[in-house]
PDB file of all heavy atoms in Angstrom:
ATOM      1  N   MET H   1      32.600 -35.243 133.992  1.00 53.00           N
ATOM      2  CA  MET H   1      32.605 -34.018 133.238  1.00 53.00           C
ATOM      3  C   MET H   1      31.255 -33.739 132.603  1.00 53.00           C
ATOM      4  O   MET H   1      30.911 -32.608 132.345  1.00 53.00           O
ATOM      5  CB  MET H   1      33.675 -34.099 132.157  1.00 53.00           C
ATOM      6  CG  MET H   1      33.826 -32.823 131.398  1.00 53.00           C
ATOM      7  SD  MET H   1      35.119 -32.800 130.152  1.00 53.00           S
ATOM      8  CE  MET H   1      36.460 -33.625 130.910  1.00 53.00           C
ATOM      9  N   ASN H   2      30.454 -34.792 132.365  1.00 58.00           N
ATOM     10  CA  ASN H   2      29.162 -34.606 131.715  1.00 58.00           C
ATOM     11  C   ASN H   2      28.264 -33.597 132.413  1.00 58.00           C
ATOM     12  O   ASN H   2      27.424 -32.980 131.776  1.00 58.00           O
ATOM     13  CB  ASN H   2      28.426 -35.932 131.589  1.00 58.00           C
ATOM     14  CG  ASN H   2      28.955 -36.767 130.436  1.00 58.00           C
ATOM     15  OD1 ASN H   2      29.457 -36.217 129.467  1.00 58.00           O
ATOM     16  ND2 ASN H   2      28.833 -38.060 130.535  1.00 58.00           N
ATOM     17  N   ASP H   3      28.442 -33.435 133.724  1.00 70.00           N
ATOM     18  CA  ASP H   3      27.595 -32.489 134.442  1.00 70.00           C
ATOM     19  C   ASP H   3      27.959 -31.042 134.118  1.00 70.00           C
ATOM     20  O   ASP H   3      27.230 -30.121 134.463  1.00 70.00           O
ATOM     21  CB  ASP H   3      27.628 -32.740 135.950  1.00 70.00           C
ATOM     22  CG  ASP H   3      29.021 -32.647 136.532  1.00 70.00           C
ATOM     23  OD1 ASP H   3      30.005 -32.832 135.793  1.00 70.00           O
ATOM     24  OD2 ASP H   3      29.124 -32.395 137.748  1.00 70.00           O
ATOM     25  N   MET H   4      29.080 -30.812 133.440  1.00 87.00           N
ATOM     26  CA  MET H   4      29.493 -29.475 133.037  1.00 87.00           C
ATOM     27  C   MET H   4      28.863 -29.070 131.716  1.00 87.00           C
ATOM     28  O   MET H   4      28.931 -27.906 131.328  1.00 87.00           O
ATOM     29  CB  MET H   4      31.019 -29.389 132.892  1.00 87.00           C
ATOM     30  CG  MET H   4      31.769 -29.592 134.188  1.00 87.00           C
ATOM     31  SD  MET H   4      33.566 -29.685 133.919  1.00 87.00           S
ATOM     32  CE  MET H   4      33.882 -28.194 133.018  1.00 87.00           C
ATOM     33  N   ILE H   5      28.255 -30.016 130.999  1.00 95.00           N
ATOM     34  CA  ILE H   5      27.714 -29.731 129.666  1.00 95.00           C
ATOM     35  C   ILE H   5      26.289 -29.193 129.798  1.00 95.00           C
ATOM     36  O   ILE H   5      25.438 -29.799 130.424  1.00 95.00           O
ATOM     37  CB  ILE H   5      27.710 -30.997 128.791  1.00 95.00           C
ATOM     38  CG1 ILE H   5      29.144 -31.514 128.595  1.00 95.00           C
ATOM     39  CG2 ILE H   5      27.046 -30.708 127.443  1.00 95.00           C
ATOM     40  CD1 ILE H   5      29.212 -32.847 127.886  1.00 95.00           C
ATOM     41  N   VAL H  53      27.448 -26.616 125.363  1.00 97.00           N
ATOM     42  CA  VAL H  53      28.446 -25.697 125.885  1.00 97.00           C
ATOM     43  C   VAL H  53      29.029 -26.232 127.166  1.00 97.00           C
ATOM     44  O   VAL H  53      28.315 -26.761 128.023  1.00 97.00           O
ATOM     45  CB  VAL H  53      27.804 -24.303 126.179  1.00 97.00           C
ATOM     46  CG1 VAL H  53      28.774 -23.361 126.845  1.00 97.00           C
ATOM     47  CG2 VAL H  53      27.229 -23.692 124.921  1.00 97.00           C
ATOM     48  N   VAL H  54      30.351 -26.087 127.308  1.00 96.00           N
ATOM     49  CA  VAL H  54      31.032 -26.269 128.588  1.00 96.00           C
ATOM     50  C   VAL H  54      31.566 -24.907 128.975  1.00 96.00           C
ATOM     51  O   VAL H  54      32.290 -24.274 128.193  1.00 96.00           O
ATOM     52  CB  VAL H  54      32.187 -27.300 128.510  1.00 96.00           C
ATOM     53  CG1 VAL H  54      32.972 -27.314 129.815  1.00 96.00           C
ATOM     54  CG2 VAL H  54      31.669 -28.677 128.197  1.00 96.00           C
ATOM     55  N   ALA H  55      31.180 -24.436 130.145  1.00 94.00           N
ATOM     56  CA  ALA H  55      31.636 -23.139 130.643  1.00 94.00           C
ATOM     57  C   ALA H  55      32.137 -23.298 132.076  1.00 94.00           C
ATOM     58  O   ALA H  55      31.641 -24.158 132.820  1.00 94.00           O
ATOM     59  CB  ALA H  55      30.521 -22.118 130.588  1.00 94.00           C
ATOM     60  N   GLU H  56      33.115 -22.502 132.416  1.00 92.00           N
ATOM     61  CA  GLU H  56      33.620 -22.447 133.798  1.00 92.00           C
ATOM     62  C   GLU H  56      33.782 -20.980 134.168  1.00 92.00           C
ATOM     63  O   GLU H  56      34.303 -20.179 133.384  1.00 92.00           O
ATOM     64  CB  GLU H  56      34.986 -23.129 133.921  1.00 92.00           C
ATOM     65  CG  GLU H  56      34.946 -24.613 133.926  1.00 92.00           C
ATOM     66  CD  GLU H  56      36.330 -25.235 134.073  1.00 92.00           C
ATOM     67  OE1 GLU H  56      37.363 -24.520 133.983  1.00 92.00           O
ATOM     68  OE2 GLU H  56      36.381 -26.447 134.258  1.00 92.00           O
ATOM     69  N   ASP H  57      33.321 -20.645 135.340  1.00 89.00           N
ATOM     70  CA  ASP H  57      33.436 -19.272 135.838  1.00 89.00           C
ATOM     71  C   ASP H  57      32.915 -18.259 134.815  1.00 89.00           C
ATOM     72  O   ASP H  57      33.502 -17.197 134.618  1.00 89.00           O
ATOM     73  CB  ASP H  57      34.888 -18.950 136.221  1.00 89.00           C
ATOM     74  CG  ASP H  57      35.433 -19.888 137.288  1.00 89.00           C
ATOM     75  OD1 ASP H  57      34.661 -20.223 138.210  1.00 89.00           O
ATOM     76  OD2 ASP H  57      36.600 -20.290 137.184  1.00 89.00           O
ATOM     77  N   LYS H  59      32.910 -18.414 131.618  1.00 92.00           N
ATOM     78  CA  LYS H  59      33.612 -18.385 130.323  1.00 92.00           C
ATOM     79  C   LYS H  59      33.319 -19.661 129.543  1.00 92.00           C
ATOM     80  O   LYS H  59      33.489 -20.765 130.052  1.00 92.00           O
ATOM     81  CB  LYS H  59      35.122 -18.244 130.541  1.00 92.00           C
ATOM     82  CG  LYS H  59      35.875 -18.200 129.244  1.00 92.00           C
ATOM     83  CD  LYS H  59      37.353 -17.959 129.434  1.00 92.00           C
ATOM     84  CE  LYS H  59      38.034 -18.187 128.127  1.00 92.00           C
ATOM     85  NZ  LYS H  59      38.695 -17.210 127.521  1.00 92.00           N
ATOM     86  N   VAL H  60      32.893 -19.497 128.292  1.00 95.00           N
ATOM     87  CA  VAL H  60      32.664 -20.651 127.417  1.00 95.00           C
ATOM     88  C   VAL H  60      34.022 -21.213 127.023  1.00 95.00           C
ATOM     89  O   VAL H  60      34.853 -20.523 126.439  1.00 95.00           O
ATOM     90  CB  VAL H  60      31.846 -20.260 126.168  1.00 95.00           C
ATOM     91  CG1 VAL H  60      31.745 -21.425 125.191  1.00 95.00           C
ATOM     92  CG2 VAL H  60      30.448 -19.800 126.579  1.00 95.00           C
ATOM     93  N   LEU H  61      34.242 -22.500 127.363  1.00 96.00           N
ATOM     94  CA  LEU H  61      35.505 -23.163 127.053  1.00 96.00           C
ATOM     95  C   LEU H  61      35.423 -24.035 125.822  1.00 96.00           C
ATOM     96  O   LEU H  61      36.419 -24.239 125.136  1.00 96.00           O
ATOM     97  CB  LEU H  61      35.954 -24.025 128.242  1.00 96.00           C
ATOM     98  CG  LEU H  61      36.223 -23.317 129.553  1.00 96.00           C
ATOM     99  CD1 LEU H  61      36.643 -24.319 130.612  1.00 96.00           C
ATOM    100  CD2 LEU H  61      37.271 -22.221 129.369  1.00 96.00           C
ATOM    101  N   SER H  62      34.249 -24.596 125.546  1.00 96.00           N
ATOM    102  CA  SER H  62      34.082 -25.493 124.412  1.00 96.00           C
ATOM    103  C   SER H  62      32.621 -25.492 123.984  1.00 96.00           C
ATOM    104  O   SER H  62      31.730 -25.317 124.826  1.00 96.00           O
ATOM    105  CB  SER H  62      34.549 -26.909 124.799  1.00 96.00           C
ATOM    106  OG  SER H  62      34.677 -27.743 123.681  1.00 96.00           O
ATOM    107  N   THR H  81      37.173 -25.442 120.888  1.00 94.00           N
ATOM    108  CA  THR H  81      37.620 -25.401 122.279  1.00 94.00           C
ATOM    109  C   THR H  81      38.666 -24.293 122.415  1.00 94.00           C
ATOM    110  O   THR H  81      39.556 -24.193 121.561  1.00 94.00           O
ATOM    111  CB  THR H  81      38.231 -26.743 122.714  1.00 94.00           C
ATOM    112  OG1 THR H  81      37.243 -27.766 122.569  1.00 94.00           O
ATOM    113  CG2 THR H  81      38.705 -26.714 124.161  1.00 94.00           C
ATOM    114  N   ALA H  82      38.541 -23.509 123.450  1.00 95.00           N
ATOM    115  CA  ALA H  82      39.492 -22.431 123.716  1.00 95.00           C
ATOM    116  C   ALA H  82      40.893 -23.028 123.895  1.00 95.00           C
ATOM    117  O   ALA H  82      41.047 -24.104 124.476  1.00 95.00           O
ATOM    118  CB  ALA H  82      39.085 -21.650 124.959  1.00 95.00           C
ATOM    119  N   ALA H  83      41.897 -22.330 123.412  1.00 93.00           N
ATOM    120  CA  ALA H  83      43.280 -22.825 123.459  1.00 93.00           C
ATOM    121  C   ALA H  83      43.692 -23.229 124.875  1.00 93.00           C
ATOM    122  O   ALA H  83      44.300 -24.290 125.078  1.00 93.00           O
ATOM    123  CB  ALA H  83      44.236 -21.770 122.897  1.00 93.00           C
ATOM    124  N   GLU H  84      43.307 -22.446 125.848  1.00 94.00           N
ATOM    125  CA  GLU H  84      43.717 -22.726 127.231  1.00 94.00           C
ATOM    126  C   GLU H  84      42.990 -23.915 127.846  1.00 94.00           C
ATOM    127  O   GLU H  84      43.376 -24.404 128.906  1.00 94.00           O
ATOM    128  CB  GLU H  84      43.547 -21.490 128.117  1.00 94.00           C
ATOM    129  CG  GLU H  84      42.112 -21.066 128.373  1.00 94.00           C
ATOM    130  CD  GLU H  84      41.531 -20.123 127.323  1.00 94.00           C
ATOM    131  OE1 GLU H  84      42.111 -19.957 126.245  1.00 94.00           O
ATOM    132  OE2 GLU H  84      40.471 -19.550 127.627  1.00 94.00           O
ATOM    133  N   ALA H  85      41.945 -24.406 127.187  1.00 93.00           N
ATOM    134  CA  ALA H  85      41.173 -25.527 127.735  1.00 93.00           C
ATOM    135  C   ALA H  85      41.424 -26.837 126.972  1.00 93.00           C
ATOM    136  O   ALA H  85      40.827 -27.858 127.298  1.00 93.00           O
ATOM    137  CB  ALA H  85      39.689 -25.185 127.715  1.00 93.00           C
ATOM    138  N   ARG H  86      42.297 -26.814 125.991  1.00 93.00           N
ATOM    139  CA  ARG H  86      42.557 -28.023 125.192  1.00 93.00           C
ATOM    140  C   ARG H  86      43.311 -29.058 126.021  1.00 93.00           C
ATOM    141  O   ARG H  86      44.043 -28.723 126.949  1.00 93.00           O
ATOM    142  CB  ARG H  86      43.315 -27.666 123.915  1.00 93.00           C
ATOM    143  CG  ARG H  86      42.431 -26.844 123.016  1.00 93.00           C
ATOM    144  CD  ARG H  86      43.077 -26.529 121.683  1.00 93.00           C
ATOM    145  NE  ARG H  86      42.207 -25.558 121.003  1.00 93.00           N
ATOM    146  CZ  ARG H  86      42.641 -24.617 120.229  1.00 93.00           C
ATOM    147  NH1 ARG H  86      43.935 -24.500 119.969  1.00 93.00           N
ATOM    148  NH2 ARG H  86      41.784 -23.770 119.681  1.00 93.00           N
ATOM    149  N   GLY H  87      43.108 -30.311 125.647  1.00 94.00           N
ATOM    150  CA  GLY H  87      43.772 -31.404 126.344  1.00 94.00           C
ATOM    151  C   GLY H  87      42.985 -31.944 127.522  1.00 94.00           C
ATOM    152  O   GLY H  87      43.424 -32.854 128.209  1.00 94.00           O
ATOM    153  N   ARG H  88      41.823 -31.392 127.759  1.00 95.00           N
ATOM    154  CA  ARG H  88      40.987 -31.818 128.890  1.00 95.00           C
ATOM    155  C   ARG H  88      39.865 -32.765 128.464  1.00 95.00           C
ATOM    156  O   ARG H  88      39.095 -33.208 129.288  1.00 95.00           O
ATOM    157  CB  ARG H  88      40.379 -30.585 129.581  1.00 95.00           C
ATOM    158  CG  ARG H  88      41.419 -29.702 130.237  1.00 95.00           C
ATOM    159  CD  ARG H  88      40.850 -28.412 130.791  1.00 95.00           C
ATOM    160  NE  ARG H  88      39.657 -28.613 131.594  1.00 95.00           N
ATOM    161  CZ  ARG H  88      38.939 -27.611 132.100  1.00 95.00           C
ATOM    162  NH1 ARG H  88      39.322 -26.367 131.911  1.00 95.00           N
ATOM    163  NH2 ARG H  88      37.863 -27.859 132.791  1.00 95.00           N
ATOM    164  N   GLY H  89      39.748 -33.010 127.166  1.00 94.00           N
ATOM    165  CA  GLY H  89      38.711 -33.902 126.670  1.00 94.00           C
ATOM    166  C   GLY H  89      37.353 -33.254 126.498  1.00 94.00           C
ATOM    167  O   GLY H  89      36.358 -33.953 126.309  1.00 94.00           O
ATOM    168  N   LEU H  90      37.298 -31.930 126.524  1.00 95.00           N
ATOM    169  CA  LEU H  90      36.006 -31.239 126.428  1.00 95.00           C
ATOM    170  C   LEU H  90      35.322 -31.464 125.085  1.00 95.00           C
ATOM    171  O   LEU H  90      34.125 -31.752 125.031  1.00 95.00           O
ATOM    172  CB  LEU H  90      36.183 -29.738 126.679  1.00 95.00           C
ATOM    173  CG  LEU H  90      36.772 -29.340 128.037  1.00 95.00           C
ATOM    174  CD1 LEU H  90      36.952 -27.826 128.111  1.00 95.00           C
ATOM    175  CD2 LEU H  90      35.915 -29.848 129.169  1.00 95.00           C
ATOM    176  N   ALA H  91      36.069 -31.340 124.005  1.00 95.00           N
ATOM    177  CA  ALA H  91      35.468 -31.533 122.676  1.00 95.00           C
ATOM    178  C   ALA H  91      34.971 -32.965 122.523  1.00 95.00           C
ATOM    179  O   ALA H  91      33.908 -33.185 121.929  1.00 95.00           O
ATOM    180  CB  ALA H  91      36.485 -31.191 121.586  1.00 95.00           C
ATOM    181  N   GLY H  92      35.691 -33.921 123.058  1.00 95.00           N
ATOM    182  CA  GLY H  92      35.248 -35.301 122.998  1.00 95.00           C
ATOM    183  C   GLY H  92      33.969 -35.527 123.775  1.00 95.00           C
ATOM    184  O   GLY H  92      33.056 -36.221 123.308  1.00 95.00           O
ATOM    185  N   GLU H  93      33.888 -34.959 124.955  1.00 95.00           N
ATOM    186  CA  GLU H  93      32.663 -35.057 125.766  1.00 95.00           C
ATOM    187  C   GLU H  93      31.475 -34.435 125.032  1.00 95.00           C
ATOM    188  O   GLU H  93      30.391 -35.013 125.011  1.00 95.00           O
ATOM    189  CB  GLU H  93      32.856 -34.382 127.118  1.00 95.00           C
ATOM    190  CG  GLU H  93      33.784 -35.117 128.056  1.00 95.00           C
ATOM    191  CD  GLU H  93      33.100 -36.264 128.766  1.00 95.00           C
ATOM    192  OE1 GLU H  93      31.868 -36.239 128.915  1.00 95.00           O
ATOM    193  OE2 GLU H  93      33.827 -37.189 129.184  1.00 95.00           O
ATOM    194  N   LEU H  94      31.699 -33.264 124.440  1.00 96.00           N
ATOM    195  CA  LEU H  94      30.619 -32.596 123.726  1.00 96.00           C
ATOM    196  C   LEU H  94      30.207 -33.366 122.477  1.00 96.00           C
ATOM    197  O   LEU H  94      29.013 -33.489 122.183  1.00 96.00           O
ATOM    198  CB  LEU H  94      31.042 -31.177 123.332  1.00 96.00           C
ATOM    199  CG  LEU H  94      31.094 -30.154 124.466  1.00 96.00           C
ATOM    200  CD1 LEU H  94      31.660 -28.835 123.958  1.00 96.00           C
ATOM    201  CD2 LEU H  94      29.728 -29.939 125.076  1.00 96.00           C
ATOM    202  N   THR H  95      31.175 -33.910 121.768  1.00 96.00           N
ATOM    203  CA  THR H  95      30.855 -34.676 120.572  1.00 96.00           C
ATOM    204  C   THR H  95      30.067 -35.930 120.920  1.00 96.00           C
ATOM    205  O   THR H  95      29.060 -36.251 120.267  1.00 96.00           O
ATOM    206  CB  THR H  95      32.141 -35.027 119.790  1.00 96.00           C
ATOM    207  OG1 THR H  95      32.792 -33.800 119.419  1.00 96.00           O
ATOM    208  CG2 THR H  95      31.852 -35.846 118.554  1.00 96.00           C
ATOM    209  N   TRP H 119      40.175 -39.083 114.886  1.00 96.00           N
ATOM    210  CA  TRP H 119      39.540 -38.650 116.143  1.00 96.00           C
ATOM    211  C   TRP H 119      38.025 -38.831 116.045  1.00 96.00           C
ATOM    212  O   TRP H 119      37.415 -39.395 116.942  1.00 96.00           O
ATOM    213  CB  TRP H 119      39.910 -37.194 116.443  1.00 96.00           C
ATOM    214  CG  TRP H 119      39.430 -36.713 117.768  1.00 96.00           C
ATOM    215  CD1 TRP H 119      40.010 -36.916 118.984  1.00 96.00           C
ATOM    216  CD2 TRP H 119      38.261 -35.925 118.027  1.00 96.00           C
ATOM    217  NE1 TRP H 119      39.284 -36.317 119.977  1.00 96.00           N
ATOM    218  CE2 TRP H 119      38.194 -35.706 119.408  1.00 96.00           C
ATOM    219  CE3 TRP H 119      37.264 -35.386 117.209  1.00 96.00           C
ATOM    220  CZ2 TRP H 119      37.177 -34.964 119.992  1.00 96.00           C
ATOM    221  CZ3 TRP H 119      36.261 -34.656 117.804  1.00 96.00           C
ATOM    222  CH2 TRP H 119      36.218 -34.444 119.181  1.00 96.00           C
ATOM    223  N   LYS H 122      36.611 -42.361 116.388  1.00 96.00           N
ATOM    224  CA  LYS H 122      36.376 -42.903 117.735  1.00 96.00           C
ATOM    225  C   LYS H 122      34.922 -42.797 118.158  1.00 96.00           C
ATOM    226  O   LYS H 122      34.473 -43.497 119.061  1.00 96.00           O
ATOM    227  CB  LYS H 122      37.265 -42.197 118.775  1.00 96.00           C
ATOM    228  CG  LYS H 122      38.750 -42.443 118.572  1.00 96.00           C
ATOM    229  CD  LYS H 122      39.572 -41.867 119.698  1.00 96.00           C
ATOM    230  CE  LYS H 122      39.606 -40.375 119.655  1.00 96.00           C
ATOM    231  NZ  LYS H 122      40.540 -39.774 120.618  1.00 96.00           N
ATOM    232  N   PHE H 123      34.177 -41.923 117.497  1.00 96.00           N
ATOM    233  CA  PHE H 123      32.755 -41.730 117.802  1.00 96.00           C
ATOM    234  C   PHE H 123      31.869 -42.436 116.782  1.00 96.00           C
ATOM    235  O   PHE H 123      30.656 -42.244 116.772  1.00 96.00           O
ATOM    236  CB  PHE H 123      32.426 -40.242 117.853  1.00 96.00           C
ATOM    237  CG  PHE H 123      33.246 -39.486 118.837  1.00 96.00           C
ATOM    238  CD1 PHE H 123      34.377 -38.788 118.431  1.00 96.00           C
ATOM    239  CD2 PHE H 123      32.945 -39.514 120.197  1.00 96.00           C
ATOM    240  CE1 PHE H 123      35.159 -38.112 119.344  1.00 96.00           C
ATOM    241  CE2 PHE H 123      33.719 -38.837 121.120  1.00 96.00           C
ATOM    242  CZ  PHE H 123      34.839 -38.134 120.691  1.00 96.00           C
TER     243      PHE H 123
END
Side-chain angles (χ1 to χ4, degrees):
M1 185 177 319
N2 281 333
D3 58 336
M4 295 173 54
I5 299 173
V53 175
V54 172
E56 283 181 350
D57 301 321
K59 180 176 170 118
V60 174
L61 299 180
S62 192
T81 300
E84 68 271 14
R86 293 184 189 146
R88 295 174 48 185
L90 300 177
E93 289 279 335
L94 286 174
T95 300
W119 186 81
K122 295 187 289 187
F123 303 97

